[in-house]
Amino acid sequence: MESVAPLILVLGSIILFFIFLYFVPVNLWITALFSGVKVGLFDLVFMRIRKVPPRVVVDSLITATKAGLQISSNELETHYLAGGNVPNVIRALISADKANINLSFKQATAIDLAGRDVFQAVQISVNPKVITTPKVAAVAADGIQLIAVARVTVRASIAQLVGGAGEDTILARVGEGIVSSIGSAKSHKEVLESPDKISKLVLSRGLDAGTAFEILSIDIADVDVGANIGAKLQIDQASADLKVAEARAEERRAMAVALEQEMKAKAQEARAKVIEAEAEIPKAISDAFVKGNLGVMDYYKMQNVQADTGMRQAISGSGQSGATKKE
């Protein structure tokens, strides 16, 4: 047991030493001291207690100091605790300072906390970015479809990065401008002859208002001729008119058929009334016999007249059929 106690004491001392170095980063303090950065040893300890990595703050302070920027450790620590990317902000500030772009630490941290890459924004402000729009289809006044592709050169606007619209808005506005300019052309040939008119018209509308970018130029990269939309619309309209006419004709035919059936029904009804009236004749003759208004000779004369009439009708009918056969 006596031999184990010194070993435990040594191990405990080593663990306590590393714990001390963790909470008291002496090496970082020495590095900062020789780099000309004023950071207290207790400040580093308090950073460790507040769960702020001292190395991130110290390295960023050294980089900023060597670049000639005046930034305190409290500002960097506050930005880190707010969820910001401290090294990225320092790189952006140095890049902006070298490019003579007016960017303060407050602006840089605000842009970073807004979710934008502030360093990339500075790079785009120095080196403009080219955005290629998707294919935009529009129809000229003569009904011919044109498909255009444009390249938009933009530069980041530092002052509008917070709250400004992004690339999607720029692409949407440019596409809308292309559709409007092509649609206002009387003929698709005008657009094909001078596509630069589209870019000039679109650029003059101030499409970068309220966005995080400044549009430097809009260049039409390609214009293709698409389908004849006007002819297709006319064909579709003619087909629709034909279907409407057919539907109306079918409606009239159905009404005619219904009317024909109605007239047949009325004819049957009239024929039934005639038959019913004819059925009353024998009764009337019988009543005339009973009352003495009709004699036997009168009845025979009536029968002879009916037979004579039937014979004449038969002869007349046979004569017509014979004439028809001779012809």
Side-chain angles (χ1 to χ4, degrees):
M1 295 294 296
E2 294 181 357
S3 60
V4 175
L7 182 60
I8 295 176
L9 183 60
V10 172
L11 292 175
S13 301
I14 294 173
I15 293 172
L16 290 175
F17 177 72
F18 280 108
I19 293 175
F20 175 79
L21 291 180
Y22 175 77
F23 283 99
V24 185
V26 180
N27 56 340
L28 283 178
W29 177 73
I30 295 173
T31 303
L33 183 63
F34 281 98
S35 299
V37 176
K38 295 181 180 180
V39 179
L41 186 60
F42 287 103
D43 292 336
L44 298 177
V45 174
F46 293 147
M47 287 182 194
R48 191 69 83 176
I49 295 173
R50 287 190 289 265
K51 296 183 179 180
V52 177
R55 179 168 294 279
V56 174
V57 176
V58 171
D59 290 345
S60 300
L61 274 176
I62 293 174
T63 304
T65 302
K66 294 299 182 182
L69 302 178
Q70 300 296 326
I71 300 174
S72 65
S73 61
N74 289 331
E75 291 176 331
L76 296 180
E77 188 177 355
T78 301
H79 184 60
Y80 181 87
L81 290 174
N85 190 338
V86 174
N88 202 40
V89 170
I90 296 300
R91 288 198 301 270
L93 289 172
I94 295 173
S95 180
D97 181 66
K98 300 302 180 183
N100 293 325
I101 298 175
N102 187 16
L103 178 65
S104 64
F105 180 78
K106 185 177 180 180
Q107 284 180 314
T109 53
I111 294 170
D112 185 60
L113 293 177
R116 296 185 182 274
D117 192 335
V118 61
F119 180 69
Q120 183 181 9
V122 174
Q123 293 297 316
I124 295 176
S125 182
V126 176
N127 298 317
K129 181 181 180 181
V130 177
I131 305 174
T132 302
T133 64
K135 293 183 177 180
V136 180
V139 181
D142 58 356
I144 303 300
Q145 182 188 53
L146 295 178
I147 303 173
V149 177
R151 288 190 175 91
V152 186
T153 304
V154 297
R155 179 171 58 195
S157 178
I158 301 298
Q160 296 180 352
L161 279 174
V162 178
E167 295 183 11
D168 294 338
T169 301
I170 293 289
L171 293 176
R173 291 181 180 180
V174 171
E176 180 183 357
I178 292 174
V179 171
S180 178
S181 59
I182 292 178
S184 62
K186 295 182 179 180
S187 173
H188 70 286
K189 296 180 181 179
E190 295 181 2
V191 180
L192 295 176
E193 289 174 358
S194 55
D196 59 319
K197 290 183 180 179
I198 301 177
S199 58
K200 291 179 181 178
L201 181 61
V202 175
L203 190 60
S204 64
R205 295 187 176 185
L207 302 179
D208 53 2
T211 65
F213 299 95
E214 176 187 356
I215 297 178
L216 300 179
S217 66
I218 299 176
D219 304 309
I220 303 299
D222 187 22
V223 179
D224 294 329
V225 179
N228 192 338
I229 302 298
K232 286 186 177 181
L233 292 176
Q234 291 178 358
I235 293 173
D236 293 341
Q237 185 63 43
S239 177
D241 293 340
L242 177 61
K243 290 181 180 179
V244 171
E246 289 177 350
R248 290 178 178 174
E250 180 64 23
E251 181 182 0
R252 290 193 296 269
R253 190 193 67 81
M255 292 179 64
V257 171
L259 182 60
E260 181 184 2
Q261 294 298 325
E262 184 180 355
M263 296 304 295
K264 287 182 179 179
K266 289 182 178 180
Q268 292 292 336
E269 183 181 359
R271 190 175 293 109
K273 289 182 180 179
V274 170
I275 294 172
E276 183 180 359
E278 290 177 349
E280 296 293 330
I281 294 175
K283 294 180 180 179
I285 295 174
S286 177
D287 290 339
F289 273 118
V290 173
K291 293 179 180 180
N293 295 329
L294 181 66
V296 176
M297 295 305 294
D298 294 329
Y299 178 72
Y300 281 127
K301 287 181 180 180
M302 184 184 67
Q303 290 291 328
N304 290 330
V305 170
Q306 289 179 348
D308 188 29
T309 302
M311 182 180 64
R312 289 178 179 178
Q313 288 178 350
I315 294 172
S316 175
S318 62
Q320 289 179 357
S321 61
T324 303
K325 290 179 181 179
K326 288 180 181 181
E327 290 177 357

